[in-house]
Amino acid sequence: MMADPTHPEPRSQGPDRTPGIVAVGWTLLLVVAVAVLRDHPDAVPFIVLLLPLLGFTVLSLFGDSIRDQGEGTGAAVLACCTVMTSFVLAVASILHLRTFTAGPSGLRFTQPYLGFEWMAAGPFRVQANLLLDNLSSVMVLVVTGVGSLIHVYSVGYMAHDAEKVRYFSYLNLFTFFMLLLVLGGNLPLMFVGWEGVGLCSYLLIGFWYEKKSAADAGKKAFIVNRVGDAGLILGTILAFHTFGTVDLVDLATNATSLAAEAGGHAGPITAICLLLFVGACGKSAQIPLHVWLPDAMEGPTPVSALIHAATMVTAGVYMVARLAPLFSLSATALLVVAVVGTLTAVLGATVALVQTDIKRVLAYSTVSQLGYMFLACGVGAFGVGIFHLFTHAFFKALLFLGSGSVIHALGGEQDMRKMGGLWRRIPWTFGTFVVGTAAIAGIPFLAGFYSKDAILAGTLASKMAVAPVLFVVALAVALLTAFYMSRLLLLTFFGPYRGDAETGAHVHESPWVMLVPLAVLAVGSVVGGYAAIPEIVSPSFRLETEGEAHHALWLPVLASAAALTGIAAAIYMFLVRTELPQRIYARTRPLARVLEAKYGFDLLYDWIAARLIVQGSRDVLWRGLDVRVIDAAVNAAGALTALAAGRLRLVQTGLVRAYALLILGGAVALLSYLLWMR
């Protein structure tokens, strides 16, 4: 589906000359940027950050004129140019970063690019500074690199949408806030980016706001993230109260001089870490704040790839890894992170088994893989967690964009039960989708194999008492991942076509502007695992991570066996014995219904919202507090005033003779009293 049916195709008003004008202007801007890079390399990250904001500003101010000139392709060209230029400059800036002398523990970081004082209130002072080190440089490459490919893909996917100018302006704004989140040198500046991507997710998820489901999904994402953000705010306040600073480098430095808090000890460090982790759970869709992410699939498919696969949902993982020196001091916090991550991985993998919507399978897969990343951080393998974040960005963006290509080929159909037999008709989409599926399943020598294997090794090497249990569960989740992803692949591309005949007659491959990003991401899904990400980012943590140890040869063999077992089981059930899934479903109907109900989280939250919040507000706050207390008090005050006025009215008759008589009577009474007293 190229666009929502409620949005008609725009009427062309003539040739759109905007792309040519934008190309010329952006060529000049790139020349200026290169000149700045040569003479003032420290200013380049500042340009990397602001280029997407510039694109958003231009599209917001001049979007109507761009739309009126033609089909609005100039907006797409402008948005793509901003992010692609940011990517090129980011690469150049990171190469410049290598020239810096390594600091303590091998950490490389530049001087703040924005050194002005941002906030000052007594002892609370915050500098507006950007931090580009080993860790943030990896994140910047993911945001701008994968983001550029998704922008290019969107040119074809949103080609016939009447609101493409608004769409690309939102994409640019999201990229700016995401870059601010990963480049912010302190918690308040990171929080601005944190809230910004939350706002943009609301705008992009609900982009087709005329659809009630899309509008509701956008509101759900916004509200659930606000719950998590409360924890982030409280954690930031407590961190300043404890350390006297909110600067990320200072927090890491101060943490290295503190004593660790043993398991079960609820000291200030544990409290800070747990509060910050609540914020991470909201943004990265961990139990119990995971419910917004599957519903977010109501937005355009490229939005799902950008926000809910490669960038926004990994913000929580990035924050935990960024504050690794702090989390490493609290055994309780690390245990909570590991257990919550493991439970979330299980929930996402099991619910994905029964989903029939192609995008929802990928959504719950994202929930599961994010749990894997937190498991790595919880066992102390922070670099491995970032490694899986890096590889996941490639193959999950590939899978989401591949699903968009399938949806485009089928005219908007997303139900896998109405697909099948597409591998011959959309071969390029099929080929890239196979690569992405194999990568996430953990097939040897692909990106997912190396990062998943490293997580299993980190879990096994951990000194936690529950580490063996976490390892077994993580291995089982790997098997389930291979199974449900193979199920998705087989139902979509193999077997007979099960959809509408008219739709099947018009199945066609996507245009090149959509296929090129798929091919690039497929290459990344193959070679991404060969990047030494744990070694690259580990100096940013300023600690030796216990989980990043070498492992025995049997572990990758075991992990590969689990993946191949899941794939073989899926092939047997969905190609050889196609009647078997229905028989299994009939025999396990109670369990299947639990999975279809997503373990009841949505039902529970709906009950809380309907019964406790809505009905509670009506019965307690309105009828109880407002009517019986506040209104009653106001009404009682009015009644007393009226009663007093009624009595006073008997005296205040308005007759002068009556007033004179009262004055005379009062004078006689006063005189009589005085005479009696004497």
Side-chain angles (χ1 to χ4, degrees):
M1 180 171 61
M2 299 288 290
D4 188 80
T6 59
H7 291 79
E9 291 190 23
R11 294 183 179 179
S12 177
Q13 304 295 325
D16 188 358
R17 298 182 178 87
T18 310
I21 298 174
V22 171
V24 173
W26 223 254
T27 301
L28 295 175
L29 182 59
L30 186 59
V31 171
V32 173
V34 171
V36 171
L37 175 64
R38 182 185 61 186
D39 298 332
H40 304 283
D42 288 353
V44 174
F46 179 64
I47 300 175
V48 170
L49 174 66
L50 291 185
L51 275 177
L53 181 62
L54 176 62
F56 165 75
T57 304
V58 172
L59 292 177
S60 298
L61 296 178
F62 306 106
D64 290 338
S65 61
I66 294 175
R67 185 187 299 108
D68 293 341
Q69 285 186 24
E71 297 183 353
T73 53
V77 175
L78 176 64
C80 292
C81 285
T82 55
V83 182
M84 293 174 70
T85 306
S86 289
F87 173 69
V88 173
L89 294 178
V91 173
S93 184
I94 291 167
L95 292 176
H96 173 66
L97 174 67
R98 298 181 61 184
T99 64
F100 280 73
T101 303
S105 301
L107 178 68
R108 297 173 185 261
F109 63 93
T110 62
Q111 297 299 318
Y113 294 105
L114 296 175
F116 63 88
E117 191 171 66
W118 178 29
M119 290 186 288
F124 183 72
R125 296 181 179 274
V126 179
Q127 296 288 322
N129 55 32
L130 303 184
L131 176 65
L132 184 67
D133 66 351
N134 302 29
L135 177 58
S136 59
S137 63
V138 171
M139 294 297 298
V140 168
L141 290 180
V142 170
V143 173
T144 57
V146 177
S148 297
L149 295 173
I150 294 172
H151 274 71
V152 173
Y153 179 94
S154 298
V155 175
Y157 192 86
M158 302 295 290
H160 300 295
D161 195 286
E163 295 294 330
K164 71 170 69 174
V165 176
R166 178 166 60 91
Y167 171 82
F168 280 104
S169 70
Y170 290 166
L171 283 190
N172 268 193
L173 183 63
F174 171 83
T175 304
F176 162 73
F177 278 123
M178 191 66 204
L179 287 172
L180 182 62
L181 190 157
V182 300
L183 286 173
N186 51 68
L187 287 174
L189 197 59
M190 178 189 289
F191 182 74
V192 174
W194 191 277
E195 290 297 291
V197 295
L199 169 64
C200 292
S201 70
Y202 166 75
L203 296 173
L204 287 166
I205 294 168
F207 177 75
W208 290 319
Y209 55 86
E210 295 177 5
K211 292 170 56 181
K212 185 179 185 302
S213 58
D216 290 344
K219 289 184 288 185
K220 186 176 184 178
F222 191 81
I223 293 170
V224 173
N225 273 272
R226 298 293 74 73
V227 176
D229 293 347
L232 180 60
I233 294 172
L234 294 175
T236 301
I237 295 172
L238 186 57
F240 177 77
H241 176 75
T242 304
F243 297 103
T245 181
V246 288
D247 185 85
L248 294 173
V249 175
D250 291 343
L251 285 174
T253 303
N254 293 339
T256 56
S257 62
L258 298 178
E261 295 179 356
H265 180 71
I269 297 177
T270 299
I272 293 170
C273 292
L274 291 179
L275 286 171
L276 294 176
F277 182 60
V278 171
C281 286
K283 195 67 70 182
S284 294
Q286 298 296 288
I287 291 176
L289 301 179
H290 65 283
V291 293
W292 66 270
L293 193 146
D295 289 354
M297 299 303 107
E298 290 291 339
T301 301
V303 171
S304 303
L306 178 66
I307 296 181
H308 310 117
T311 53
M312 173 183 160
V313 293
T314 60
V317 180
Y318 167 75
M319 183 189 68
V320 172
R322 168 59 72 190
L323 297 173
L326 208 58
F327 277 84
S328 64
L329 295 177
S330 173
T332 302
L334 288 179
L335 178 62
V336 170
V337 172
V339 171
V340 170
T342 303
L343 293 177
T344 305
V346 173
L347 179 144
T350 52
V351 175
L353 295 173
V354 298
Q355 297 300 306
T356 57
D357 186 301
I358 186 172
K359 289 176 64 176
R360 284 189 176 269
V361 175
L362 296 176
Y364 279 103
S365 172
T366 299
V367 172
S368 182
Q369 296 305 307
L370 289 168
Y372 248 100
M373 298 174 202
F374 278 111
L375 168 61
C377 293
V379 298
F382 297 99
V384 170
I386 297 299
F387 185 26
H388 196 54
L389 183 157
F390 179 79
T391 60
H392 178 265
F394 287 107
F395 54 71
K396 187 51 66 66
L398 169 60
L399 291 169
F400 267 115
L401 296 185
S403 71
S405 184
V406 172
I407 294 168
H408 161 71
L410 296 176
E413 183 59 65
Q414 297 184 197
D415 192 337
M416 296 185 298
R417 294 171 297 183
K418 299 179 181 179
M419 300 180 186
L422 299 179
W423 70 275
R424 294 177 181 270
R425 309 177 72 175
I426 47 175
W428 289 100
T429 300
F430 167 70
T432 55
F433 209 97
V434 168
V435 174
T437 302
I440 193 174
I443 296 301
F445 312 116
L446 299 181
F449 167 76
Y450 294 103
S451 58
K452 279 190 174 184
D453 183 53
I455 292 175
L456 292 173
T459 305
L460 201 58
S462 173
K463 298 178 182 178
M464 287 184 177
V466 296
V469 177
L470 298 180
F471 171 79
V472 172
V473 174
L475 188 64
V477 170
L479 188 151
L480 291 177
T481 302
F483 177 81
Y484 69 70
M485 286 304 305
S486 299
R487 167 181 175 264
L488 183 152
L489 181 71
L490 296 172
L491 289 177
T492 303
F493 293 99
F494 291 92
Y497 178 70
R498 301 175 295 275
D500 180 74
E502 183 178 354
T503 301
H506 296 89
V507 174
H508 58 285
E509 186 62 274
S510 299
W512 68 267
V513 74
M514 296 170 63
L515 294 178
V516 169
L518 293 180
V520 176
L521 289 170
V523 173
S525 300
V526 174
V527 304
Y530 296 95
I533 298 297
E535 290 75 14
I536 293 173
V537 302
S538 59
S540 296
F541 306 139
R542 298 191 173 192
L543 50 88
E544 294 295 330
T545 50
E546 66 175 53
E548 295 169 20
H550 295 288
H551 49 79
L553 180 61
W554 62 266
L555 185 55
V557 174
L558 181 62
S560 301
L564 294 175
T565 301
I567 294 172
I571 293 174
Y572 181 74
M573 290 177 61
F574 296 99
L575 277 187
V576 180
R577 296 283 302 277
T578 54
E579 81 286 353
L580 196 56
Q582 287 299 326
R583 292 170 56 186
I584 295 175
Y585 180 85
R587 293 182 179 180
T588 60
R589 189 178 299 272
L591 175 60
R593 287 180 175 176
V594 171
L595 298 181
E596 289 172 343
K598 309 156 195 173
Y599 291 97
F601 279 98
D602 284 306
L603 296 175
L604 174 63
Y605 292 159
D606 288 343
W607 182 85
I608 292 174
R611 297 292 298 275
L612 296 185
I613 298 178
V614 176
Q615 186 175 339
S617 298
R618 181 173 58 245
D619 295 342
V620 178
L621 297 180
W622 172 38
R623 293 173 179 169
L625 181 62
D626 190 25
V627 174
R628 297 179 182 176
V629 178
I630 299 175
D631 287 353
V634 173
N635 294 336
L640 290 174
T641 303
L643 179 63
R647 298 295 181 267
L648 187 62
R649 188 167 57 239
L650 299 176
V651 179
Q652 297 291 339
T653 62
L655 298 176
V656 176
R657 287 176 298 177
Y659 295 160
L661 181 61
L662 288 173
I663 293 173
L664 178 60
V668 171
L670 180 62
L671 182 60
S672 299
Y673 174 75
L674 293 175
L675 290 175
W676 180 79
M677 289 296 296
R678 295 185 63 181

